[in-house]
Amino acid sequence: MAFNLPCACVIIGCIFASLVKTSNISDVYPPLWKESPGQFSDYKIENGKYIINFWSYRDRLGTYKILLNKTAKYFAKFSLENEQNILWGLPVHHGWQYHTGRLADPTQSTDCGHKSGDHLCISVDSWWADLNYYLSAMPFLAAVDSGIMGISPDNVTFLPPSKDQMNFCYNVSNCHLSFPEAMKKWNEFYQVFFLSHSSSFDDLLESLWAAHVSSLDVARKNFQNRLKYYSKQEADFARSWALFVDYLAPPRFPTTLIRTYEFQKELPRRMLVSGDKAPFISDFSGFQNTVLFALNLLHKVHKYTGLLIVENIGKIT
Ligand SMILES: *[C@@H]1O[C@H](CO)[C@@H](O)[C@H](O)[C@H]1NC(C)=O
Ligand SMILES: *[C@@H]1O[C@H](CO)[C@@H](O)[C@H](O)[C@H]1NC(C)=O
Ligand SMILES: *[C@@H]1O[C@H](CO)[C@@H](O)[C@H](O)[C@H]1NC(C)=O
Ligand SMILES: *[C@@H]1O[C@H](CO)[C@@H](O)[C@H](O)[C@H]1NC(C)=O
């Protein structure tokens, strides 16, 4: 226990030490940000409902874009141009998943998500994509439900994936039924916007992380079986990453645009393959190697000690 938190802090510290002022803010946006839908009318309408395909990178990214747009006014007091909107963490991380090939079909049985094939396709077999579904569909629908999106909760529906439909949810009422706890936490997050005009940045961050962790808790359980499609190195990294997120929550890592961008620049820039051994991966930077090594170490220590200290800390604070 004495060891885990410092270890996580080293990783975070290491990343912040590498902060170099980003010279061009347009570099920090996720790939295809400009080209993706930015308003509801950019989506198809059928029977009075907007139809969104979360298995297309462009559609999924578009939901984040609308969310960022509609929540901008609540963050205006913290910065210009919405930079301090803490919801940026979600699309920026999703962009990293996309450009590192992590949304592609890991079984290689289809060309879904592969550069040479249907590169905008998001594979239901991707562990990363499935976890992200809970961190895109749920925050989006809870926002619709809370009224900040300006449409009726019954007016939006998502297309199902090609398999495992029971593991996902498709509209506001259906998501509340299937994932009550996580949806409740996301709803509470949006309530913080309205509850008081004086809600601080820290209140928002705390509430965001509570919702984030709640989504991830269900997602991690539901998609364990996807990890078998990956190299041992990638599966280990995925587990380490999912664990590390628990360590980012208690200190309330500020998931603003530039911070998240700088942070994930240090994450593996491609899928890990067998033979990749941090900190000796030749096409990774020194920082990327160090971060990967530290993440894996954190996971090992955690496994040995078997202590879920973070959850307890989260409850105390
Ligand atoms: C920033 O990046 C955009 C798009 O990549 C480019 O059009 C623009 O010229 C860049 N600006 C600077 C100052 O480098
Ligand atoms: C949304 O729902 C209302 C009724 O609740 C309906 O009148 C409207 O046409 C729907 N569709 C769109 C695209 O707004
Ligand atoms: C939100 O989107 C609308 C329509 O695309 C645009 O006019 C507006 O400037 C955007 N607001 C922010 C804060 O990005
Ligand atoms: C929501 O989705 C469920 C399951 O697909 C469906 O049975 C229900 O009619 C949908 N509700 C609305 C309001 O669209």
Side-chain angles (χ1 to χ4, degrees):
M1 154 162 188
F3 190 58
N4 284 17
L5 269 183
C7 184
C9 292
V10 166
I11 301 172
I12 298 172
C14 172
I15 285 160
F16 278 111
S18 77
L19 288 188
V20 193
K21 264 278 144 276
T22 308
S23 51
N24 192 342
I25 190 146
S26 66
D27 293 342
V28 306
Y29 293 108
L32 304 177
W33 184 253
K34 269 209 201 98
E35 295 86 342
S36 61
Q39 45 201 353
F40 282 101
S41 57
D42 293 335
Y43 291 102
K44 226 173 27 186
I45 299 179
E46 260 170 40
N47 303 324
K49 289 184 204 294
Y50 297 107
I51 312 286
I52 303 179
N53 179 8
F54 266 70
W55 306 97
S56 145
Y57 174 71
R58 205 187 291 265
D59 268 25
R60 196 183 285 199
L61 194 65
T63 64
Y64 282 137
K65 201 165 154 184
I66 296 174
L67 186 59
L68 265 294
N69 180 287
K70 301 285 187 190
T71 53
K73 62 170 179 274
Y74 304 102
F75 292 91
K77 64 182 172 194
F78 304 120
S79 69
L80 290 173
E81 296 184 51
N82 211 16
E83 196 279 319
Q84 291 285 307
N85 191 326
I86 54 178
L87 286 161
W88 272 119
L90 297 169
V92 172
H93 187 65
H94 188 51
W96 167 83
Q97 295 173 331
Y98 170 75
H99 81 78
T100 59
R102 287 186 163 82
L103 302 176
D105 180 0
T107 71
Q108 311 281 344
S109 60
T110 68
D111 71 359
C112 177
H114 292 283
K115 286 218 169 63
S116 53
D118 184 359
H119 68 101
L120 291 176
C121 175
I122 295 181
S123 170
V124 68
D125 283 320
S126 157
W127 178 87
W128 297 95
D130 292 341
L131 260 68
N132 179 264
Y133 191 93
Y134 288 37
L135 292 168
S136 51
M138 290 187 202
F140 181 76
L141 287 179
V144 170
D145 198 22
S146 72
I148 60 178
M149 304 293 248
I151 66 163
S152 145
D154 291 342
N155 275 16
V156 60
T157 188
F158 304 155
L159 295 179
S162 55
K163 66 179 221 195
D164 293 341
Q165 282 98 353
M166 292 301 289
N167 281 339
F168 303 93
C169 63
Y170 308 100
N171 58 40
V172 172
S173 54
N174 172 240
C175 281
H176 273 297
L177 269 178
S178 305
F179 307 104
E181 187 56 26
M183 283 296 283
K184 184 171 141 253
K185 286 284 197 306
W186 284 108
N187 268 6
E188 284 167 6
F189 167 62
Y190 296 113
Q191 290 315 310
V192 178
F193 291 175
F194 307 124
L195 274 180
S196 86
H197 295 292
S198 61
S199 56
S200 70
F201 191 72
D202 221 42
D203 294 336
L204 288 161
L205 212 47
E206 179 179 7
S207 174
L208 174 78
W209 274 110
H212 193 115
V213 166
S214 184
S215 271
L216 266 188
D217 278 349
V218 221
R220 275 187 292 215
K221 281 187 207 108
N222 285 356
F223 300 108
Q224 287 268 8
N225 63 354
R226 302 295 199 257
L227 292 173
K228 65 173 182 281
Y229 300 133
Y230 296 99
S231 69
K232 179 178 181 306
Q233 283 73 5
E234 178 70 12
D236 282 348
F237 166 59
R239 284 190 199 97
S240 304
W241 174 250
L243 171 73
F244 183 61
V245 172
D246 282 344
Y247 284 83
L248 289 174
R252 294 175 203 150
F253 179 82
T255 47
T256 56
L257 177 58
I258 307 239
R259 290 265 195 130
T260 311
Y261 168 79
E262 296 291 352
F263 178 84
Q264 64 171 28
K265 249 185 5 197
E266 311 306 343
L267 294 180
R269 61 172 78 174
R270 57 164 172 78
M271 299 273 283
L272 300 176
V273 294
S274 82
D276 280 340
K277 196 162 166 39
F280 307 111
I281 303 174
S282 60
D283 60 334
F284 284 13
S285 70
F287 265 129
Q288 287 169 343
N289 268 303
T290 308
V291 167
L292 181 56
F293 178 77
L295 281 172
N296 289 340
L297 179 67
L298 177 71
H299 187 242
K300 276 195 197 108
V301 170
H302 184 90
K303 217 165 66 180
Y304 269 112
T305 56
L307 290 170
L308 289 168
I309 45 157
V310 167
E311 282 172 22
N312 297 328
I313 289 171
K315 274 176 204 130
I316 293 162
T317 53

PDB file of all heavy atoms in Angstrom, residues 8 30-31 33 55 63 77 85 99-100 150-151 157 198 235 252 266 286 290 315:
ATOM      1  N   ALA A   8       2.295   5.438  -8.816  1.00  0.00           N
ATOM      2  CA  ALA A   8       1.400   6.124  -9.745  1.00  0.00           C
ATOM      3  C   ALA A   8       1.802   7.586  -9.886  1.00  0.00           C
ATOM      4  O   ALA A   8       1.758   8.159 -10.972  1.00  0.00           O
ATOM      5  CB  ALA A   8      -0.039   6.023  -9.253  1.00  0.00           C
ATOM      6  N   PRO A  30      -8.568  15.622 -31.551  1.00  0.00           N
ATOM      7  CA  PRO A  30      -8.528  14.243 -32.067  1.00  0.00           C
ATOM      8  C   PRO A  30      -8.566  14.246 -33.596  1.00  0.00           C
ATOM      9  O   PRO A  30      -9.088  15.186 -34.192  1.00  0.00           O
ATOM     10  CB  PRO A  30      -9.819  13.625 -31.511  1.00  0.00           C
ATOM     11  CG  PRO A  30     -10.334  14.551 -30.476  1.00  0.00           C
ATOM     12  CD  PRO A  30      -9.779  15.907 -30.769  1.00  0.00           C
ATOM     13  N   PRO A  31      -8.039  13.194 -34.225  1.00  0.00           N
ATOM     14  CA  PRO A  31      -8.105  13.107 -35.677  1.00  0.00           C
ATOM     15  C   PRO A  31      -9.555  13.235 -36.161  1.00  0.00           C
ATOM     16  O   PRO A  31     -10.459  12.698 -35.518  1.00  0.00           O
ATOM     17  CB  PRO A  31      -7.579  11.705 -35.993  1.00  0.00           C
ATOM     18  CG  PRO A  31      -6.860  11.252 -34.778  1.00  0.00           C
ATOM     19  CD  PRO A  31      -7.395  12.020 -33.613  1.00  0.00           C
ATOM     20  N   TRP A  33     -11.556  15.652 -36.118  1.00  0.00           N
ATOM     21  CA  TRP A  33     -12.450  16.452 -35.263  1.00  0.00           C
ATOM     22  C   TRP A  33     -13.264  17.429 -36.100  1.00  0.00           C
ATOM     23  O   TRP A  33     -14.482  17.540 -35.954  1.00  0.00           O
ATOM     24  CB  TRP A  33     -11.622  17.186 -34.217  1.00  0.00           C
ATOM     25  CG  TRP A  33     -12.428  17.963 -33.217  1.00  0.00           C
ATOM     26  CD1 TRP A  33     -12.554  19.321 -33.161  1.00  0.00           C
ATOM     27  CD2 TRP A  33     -13.207  17.439 -32.130  1.00  0.00           C
ATOM     28  NE1 TRP A  33     -13.363  19.668 -32.102  1.00  0.00           N
ATOM     29  CE2 TRP A  33     -13.779  18.538 -31.451  1.00  0.00           C
ATOM     30  CE3 TRP A  33     -13.478  16.147 -31.666  1.00  0.00           C
ATOM     31  CZ2 TRP A  33     -14.601  18.391 -30.330  1.00  0.00           C
ATOM     32  CZ3 TRP A  33     -14.303  16.001 -30.557  1.00  0.00           C
ATOM     33  CH2 TRP A  33     -14.858  17.117 -29.908  1.00  0.00           C
ATOM     34  N   TRP A  55     -20.558   2.678 -33.947  1.00  0.00           N
ATOM     35  CA  TRP A  55     -19.542   1.779 -34.497  1.00  0.00           C
ATOM     36  C   TRP A  55     -18.863   2.426 -35.697  1.00  0.00           C
ATOM     37  O   TRP A  55     -18.228   1.753 -36.511  1.00  0.00           O
ATOM     38  CB  TRP A  55     -20.146   0.401 -34.771  1.00  0.00           C
ATOM     39  CG  TRP A  55     -20.774  -0.055 -33.499  1.00  0.00           C
ATOM     40  CD1 TRP A  55     -22.095   0.040 -33.150  1.00  0.00           C
ATOM     41  CD2 TRP A  55     -20.091  -0.516 -32.329  1.00  0.00           C
ATOM     42  NE1 TRP A  55     -22.260  -0.354 -31.848  1.00  0.00           N
ATOM     43  CE2 TRP A  55     -21.056  -0.701 -31.320  1.00  0.00           C
ATOM     44  CE3 TRP A  55     -18.741  -0.803 -32.041  1.00  0.00           C
ATOM     45  CZ2 TRP A  55     -20.719  -1.161 -30.046  1.00  0.00           C
ATOM     46  CZ3 TRP A  55     -18.420  -1.254 -30.771  1.00  0.00           C
ATOM     47  CH2 TRP A  55     -19.404  -1.430 -29.793  1.00  0.00           C
ATOM     48  N   THR A  63     -20.575  12.749 -31.398  1.00  0.00           N
ATOM     49  CA  THR A  63     -21.365  12.883 -30.171  1.00  0.00           C
ATOM     50  C   THR A  63     -20.557  13.632 -29.109  1.00  0.00           C
ATOM     51  O   THR A  63     -21.108  14.427 -28.346  1.00  0.00           O
ATOM     52  CB  THR A  63     -21.832  11.522 -29.598  1.00  0.00           C
ATOM     53  OG1 THR A  63     -20.703  10.752 -29.213  1.00  0.00           O
ATOM     54  CG2 THR A  63     -22.677  10.763 -30.601  1.00  0.00           C
ATOM     55  N   LYS A  77     -16.303  30.261 -17.663  1.00  0.00           N
ATOM     56  CA  LYS A  77     -15.687  31.075 -16.621  1.00  0.00           C
ATOM     57  C   LYS A  77     -14.259  30.614 -16.283  1.00  0.00           C
ATOM     58  O   LYS A  77     -13.528  31.326 -15.606  1.00  0.00           O
ATOM     59  CB  LYS A  77     -16.553  31.091 -15.357  1.00  0.00           C
ATOM     60  CG  LYS A  77     -16.722  29.745 -14.690  1.00  0.00           C
ATOM     61  CD  LYS A  77     -17.639  29.826 -13.451  1.00  0.00           C
ATOM     62  CE  LYS A  77     -17.950  28.442 -12.917  1.00  0.00           C
ATOM     63  NZ  LYS A  77     -19.050  28.387 -11.960  1.00  0.00           N
ATOM     64  N   ASN A  85     -12.674  22.757 -20.474  1.00  0.00           N
ATOM     65  CA  ASN A  85     -13.785  21.820 -20.356  1.00  0.00           C
ATOM     66  C   ASN A  85     -13.214  20.438 -20.032  1.00  0.00           C
ATOM     67  O   ASN A  85     -12.421  19.897 -20.798  1.00  0.00           O
ATOM     68  CB  ASN A  85     -14.581  21.789 -21.671  1.00  0.00           C
ATOM     69  CG  ASN A  85     -15.897  21.047 -21.537  1.00  0.00           C
ATOM     70  OD1 ASN A  85     -15.991  20.080 -20.795  1.00  0.00           O
ATOM     71  ND2 ASN A  85     -16.911  21.504 -22.263  1.00  0.00           N
ATOM     72  N   HIS A  99      -6.047   6.577 -33.687  1.00  0.00           N
ATOM     73  CA  HIS A  99      -4.856   6.669 -34.543  1.00  0.00           C
ATOM     74  C   HIS A  99      -3.771   5.670 -34.171  1.00  0.00           C
ATOM     75  O   HIS A  99      -2.823   5.469 -34.926  1.00  0.00           O
ATOM     76  CB  HIS A  99      -4.349   8.118 -34.668  1.00  0.00           C
ATOM     77  CG  HIS A  99      -3.526   8.613 -33.537  1.00  0.00           C
ATOM     78  ND1 HIS A  99      -2.209   8.277 -33.371  1.00  0.00           N
ATOM     79  CD2 HIS A  99      -3.818   9.452 -32.515  1.00  0.00           C
ATOM     80  CE1 HIS A  99      -1.744   8.876 -32.285  1.00  0.00           C
ATOM     81  NE2 HIS A  99      -2.695   9.578 -31.751  1.00  0.00           N
ATOM     82  N   THR A 100      -3.919   4.992 -33.032  1.00  0.00           N
ATOM     83  CA  THR A 100      -2.958   3.937 -32.720  1.00  0.00           C
ATOM     84  C   THR A 100      -3.488   2.557 -33.136  1.00  0.00           C
ATOM     85  O   THR A 100      -2.888   1.536 -32.815  1.00  0.00           O
ATOM     86  CB  THR A 100      -2.634   3.904 -31.212  1.00  0.00           C
ATOM     87  OG1 THR A 100      -3.847   3.689 -30.474  1.00  0.00           O
ATOM     88  CG2 THR A 100      -1.995   5.206 -30.755  1.00  0.00           C
ATOM     89  N   GLY A 150     -30.721  19.916 -25.465  1.00  0.00           N
ATOM     90  CA  GLY A 150     -31.794  20.591 -26.188  1.00  0.00           C
ATOM     91  C   GLY A 150     -32.647  19.690 -27.053  1.00  0.00           C
ATOM     92  O   GLY A 150     -33.323  20.175 -27.963  1.00  0.00           O
ATOM     93  N   ILE A 151     -32.609  18.389 -26.830  1.00  0.00           N
ATOM     94  CA  ILE A 151     -33.531  17.505 -27.557  1.00  0.00           C
ATOM     95  C   ILE A 151     -34.256  16.617 -26.552  1.00  0.00           C
ATOM     96  O   ILE A 151     -33.794  16.425 -25.429  1.00  0.00           O
ATOM     97  CB  ILE A 151     -32.845  16.621 -28.631  1.00  0.00           C
ATOM     98  CG1 ILE A 151     -31.888  15.610 -27.984  1.00  0.00           C
ATOM     99  CG2 ILE A 151     -32.132  17.456 -29.668  1.00  0.00           C
ATOM    100  CD1 ILE A 151     -31.523  14.473 -28.918  1.00  0.00           C
ATOM    101  N   THR A 157     -31.424   7.541 -30.797  1.00  0.00           N
ATOM    102  CA  THR A 157     -31.220   6.102 -30.638  1.00  0.00           C
ATOM    103  C   THR A 157     -29.941   5.677 -31.370  1.00  0.00           C
ATOM    104  O   THR A 157     -29.537   6.304 -32.337  1.00  0.00           O
ATOM    105  CB  THR A 157     -32.459   5.323 -31.125  1.00  0.00           C
ATOM    106  OG1 THR A 157     -32.310   3.958 -30.784  1.00  0.00           O
ATOM    107  CG2 THR A 157     -32.647   5.435 -32.614  1.00  0.00           C
ATOM    108  N   SER A 198     -22.144  28.446  -8.287  1.00  0.00           N
ATOM    109  CA  SER A 198     -20.809  28.569  -7.721  1.00  0.00           C
ATOM    110  C   SER A 198     -20.061  27.249  -7.740  1.00  0.00           C
ATOM    111  O   SER A 198     -19.045  27.101  -7.101  1.00  0.00           O
ATOM    112  CB  SER A 198     -20.908  29.082  -6.289  1.00  0.00           C
ATOM    113  OG  SER A 198     -21.642  28.139  -5.537  1.00  0.00           O
ATOM    114  N   ALA A 235      -2.374  -6.949 -24.070  1.00  0.00           N
ATOM    115  CA  ALA A 235      -3.369  -7.280 -23.038  1.00  0.00           C
ATOM    116  C   ALA A 235      -2.889  -6.810 -21.667  1.00  0.00           C
ATOM    117  O   ALA A 235      -3.672  -6.272 -20.882  1.00  0.00           O
ATOM    118  CB  ALA A 235      -3.638  -8.785 -23.038  1.00  0.00           C
ATOM    119  N   ARG A 252      -7.890  13.386  -8.882  1.00  0.00           N
ATOM    120  CA  ARG A 252      -8.697  14.196  -9.806  1.00  0.00           C
ATOM    121  C   ARG A 252      -7.867  14.832 -10.911  1.00  0.00           C
ATOM    122  O   ARG A 252      -7.782  16.057 -11.031  1.00  0.00           O
ATOM    123  CB  ARG A 252      -9.458  15.276  -9.048  1.00  0.00           C
ATOM    124  CG  ARG A 252     -10.474  14.653  -8.140  1.00  0.00           C
ATOM    125  CD  ARG A 252     -11.168  15.687  -7.293  1.00  0.00           C
ATOM    126  NE  ARG A 252     -11.695  15.056  -6.102  1.00  0.00           N
ATOM    127  CZ  ARG A 252     -11.844  15.658  -4.926  1.00  0.00           C
ATOM    128  NH1 ARG A 252     -11.519  16.922  -4.809  1.00  0.00           N
ATOM    129  NH2 ARG A 252     -12.317  15.010  -3.912  1.00  0.00           N
ATOM    130  N   GLU A 266       2.445  10.372 -24.256  1.00  0.00           N
ATOM    131  CA  GLU A 266       3.422   9.457 -23.677  1.00  0.00           C
ATOM    132  C   GLU A 266       2.908   8.017 -23.623  1.00  0.00           C
ATOM    133  O   GLU A 266       3.565   7.135 -23.095  1.00  0.00           O
ATOM    134  CB  GLU A 266       3.823   9.927 -22.274  1.00  0.00           C
ATOM    135  CG  GLU A 266       4.211  11.396 -22.179  1.00  0.00           C
ATOM    136  CD  GLU A 266       5.297  11.808 -23.160  1.00  0.00           C
ATOM    137  OE1 GLU A 266       5.997  10.916 -23.700  1.00  0.00           O
ATOM    138  OE2 GLU A 266       5.452  13.012 -23.397  1.00  0.00           O
ATOM    139  N   GLY A 286      11.864   7.786 -25.163  1.00  0.00           N
ATOM    140  CA  GLY A 286      12.276   7.431 -23.805  1.00  0.00           C
ATOM    141  C   GLY A 286      11.128   7.526 -22.829  1.00  0.00           C
ATOM    142  O   GLY A 286      10.927   6.649 -21.991  1.00  0.00           O
ATOM    143  N   THR A 290       9.356   4.642 -20.621  1.00  0.00           N
ATOM    144  CA  THR A 290       9.327   4.741 -19.155  1.00  0.00           C
ATOM    145  C   THR A 290       7.898   4.621 -18.636  1.00  0.00           C
ATOM    146  O   THR A 290       7.640   3.922 -17.653  1.00  0.00           O
ATOM    147  CB  THR A 290       9.905   6.098 -18.707  1.00  0.00           C
ATOM    148  OG1 THR A 290      11.172   6.249 -19.336  1.00  0.00           O
ATOM    149  CG2 THR A 290      10.064   6.154 -17.203  1.00  0.00           C
ATOM    150  N   LYS A 315     -13.304   6.742  -1.365  1.00  0.00           N
ATOM    151  CA  LYS A 315     -14.474   6.889  -0.506  1.00  0.00           C
ATOM    152  C   LYS A 315     -14.238   7.895   0.614  1.00  0.00           C
ATOM    153  O   LYS A 315     -15.142   8.589   1.034  1.00  0.00           O
ATOM    154  CB  LYS A 315     -14.856   5.528   0.089  1.00  0.00           C
ATOM    155  CG  LYS A 315     -15.766   4.761  -0.858  1.00  0.00           C
ATOM    156  CD  LYS A 315     -16.080   3.383  -0.327  1.00  0.00           C
ATOM    157  CE  LYS A 315     -16.452   2.472  -1.469  1.00  0.00           C
ATOM    158  NZ  LYS A 315     -15.704   1.218  -1.438  1.00  0.00           N
TER     159      LYS A 315
END
